[in-house]
Amino acid sequence: SILAGISHKGFLKGTRLVEAPILGEFIDEFEKKYNLDYSKMFEQVVVVNDGEAALLGASVHSLRDKPDLKNVMLVINGSGLGLALYKDGKIYRTEAGHVELISELNKTGQDRKCGMFGQSFVCIENVAAGKAGVEYLWNKKTGEKLTGKELAVKLMEKDPMAVELFTDSAQVVSHMILGVIKCFELESEIAETMFVSHGGTFHIESYLEMVKETMESYLKTPVNWLVGKNLSDNISLEGA
């Protein structure tokens, strides 16, 4: 039989999907057919969180090019928001996107609840993620449903609402990353840390520059940054 490697968004326990608030329709069908368990779909299967999988792929590329690196941090911003860290030979999957957002950073007035494990607060993901945050808030404020690519065009055209939503998102993502840096005491190891971005929102060059600028203004030092799409066609699948 074939060994399958699967990269999946959300919280996992072994081969079973436990929670993934933004995958409602998929979860309904997957539960009916396979009881949320990939081992019922494949005889031999390894399932990892998409952030973890992307981090594995990114770490191989990063350490191959810079073997003196101590840490690799992978940040995903697409339909959802995720962050995983390689440090001291260990992988940490943080679910940082589901941390409660402080009111000072909720400038757009998002009131959509997190939903992860029934949490009723507004989480970072629901303001900063491309789909769960930016696309949702655009639709809420304008009544117009646009894709991430369409909103990226709005940003480049300097549409005021698009500029506000993406700027707020970049600021929130920057502070999320800075919070993880502080939690893992990486402040003294920034030069030996590679940051890797993955997901459609980071394909917007001006967005990535906003994230880097905010980080560097707080850290008082340049950050090393790679874009996942420049390393692999799909770094999450490569890691899985």
Side-chain angles (χ1 to χ4, degrees):
S1 61
I2 297 173
L3 174 62
I6 297 175
S7 162
H8 200 293
K9 189 184 307 297
F11 187 80
L12 298 155
K13 187 173 182 180
T15 58
R16 196 170 192 278
L17 177 62
V18 177
E19 192 82 23
I22 62 174
L23 298 177
E25 291 183 11
F26 170 82
I27 288 176
D28 290 343
E29 184 177 350
F30 190 42
E31 184 170 23
K32 288 176 183 176
K33 289 187 175 181
Y34 301 105
N35 195 29
L36 301 178
D37 194 339
Y38 278 103
S39 68
K40 298 183 184 301
M41 183 184 290
F42 301 98
E43 288 185 16
Q44 296 186 75
V45 62
V46 175
V47 189
V48 291
N49 174 267
D50 59 341
E52 247 180 297
L55 176 64
L56 287 168
S59 296
V60 170
H61 286 281
S62 300
L63 292 167
R64 182 187 298 150
D65 295 338
K66 294 189 69 174
D68 58 332
L69 286 172
K70 287 186 176 180
N71 317 298
V72 180
M73 187 181 295
L74 187 287
V75 187
I76 297 179
N77 193 344
S79 55
L81 188 66
L83 188 152
L85 173 68
Y86 172 85
K87 175 178 168 61
D88 298 329
K90 297 179 181 179
I91 289 177
Y92 299 89
R93 178 172 53 80
T94 68
E95 291 294 347
H98 295 290
V99 171
E100 184 173 4
L101 182 69
I102 61 172
S103 58
E104 290 86 348
L105 290 177
N106 190 4
K107 298 177 182 178
T108 52
Q110 173 67 287
D111 57 4
R112 188 184 187 189
K113 307 308 179 187
C114 180
M116 178 67 85
F117 297 118
Q119 297 292 350
S120 60
F121 53 70
V122 176
C123 61
I124 291 172
E125 178 175 277
N126 281 355
V127 168
K131 186 171 185 177
V134 175
E135 290 181 36
Y136 176 89
L137 286 163
W138 175 275
N139 177 243
K140 178 183 176 182
K141 290 176 177 292
T142 67
E144 182 182 26
K145 285 189 176 182
L146 295 181
T147 65
K149 288 183 178 180
E150 290 169 330
L151 287 172
V153 172
K154 292 280 188 183
L155 175 64
M156 289 185 283
E157 293 173 345
K158 299 191 183 303
D159 177 275
M161 179 67 71
V163 171
E164 178 187 3
L165 293 175
F166 279 108
T167 300
D168 288 347
S169 168
Q171 185 180 33
V172 171
V173 168
S174 304
H175 283 284
M176 178 187 75
I177 297 169
L178 290 166
V180 174
I181 289 172
K182 185 174 182 179
C183 284
F184 284 90
E185 300 179 343
L186 302 179
E187 293 94 337
S188 63
E189 300 178 357
I190 296 302
E192 299 156 301
T193 300
M194 182 63 72
F195 298 89
V196 183
S197 57
H198 182 53
T201 308
F202 278 119
H203 296 171
I204 306 169
E205 187 174 343
S206 61
Y207 180 87
L208 177 55
E209 289 306 313
M210 285 191 285
V211 172
K212 290 170 62 178
E213 183 179 338
T214 301
M215 287 178 61
E216 290 175 350
S217 70
Y218 274 82
L219 295 169
K220 310 298 182 188
T221 187
V223 295
N224 304 308
W225 204 289
L226 292 174
V227 179
K229 71 171 183 175
N230 295 335
L231 303 177
S232 168
D233 289 338
N234 192 319
I235 205 162
S236 287
L237 289 179
E238 187 174 308

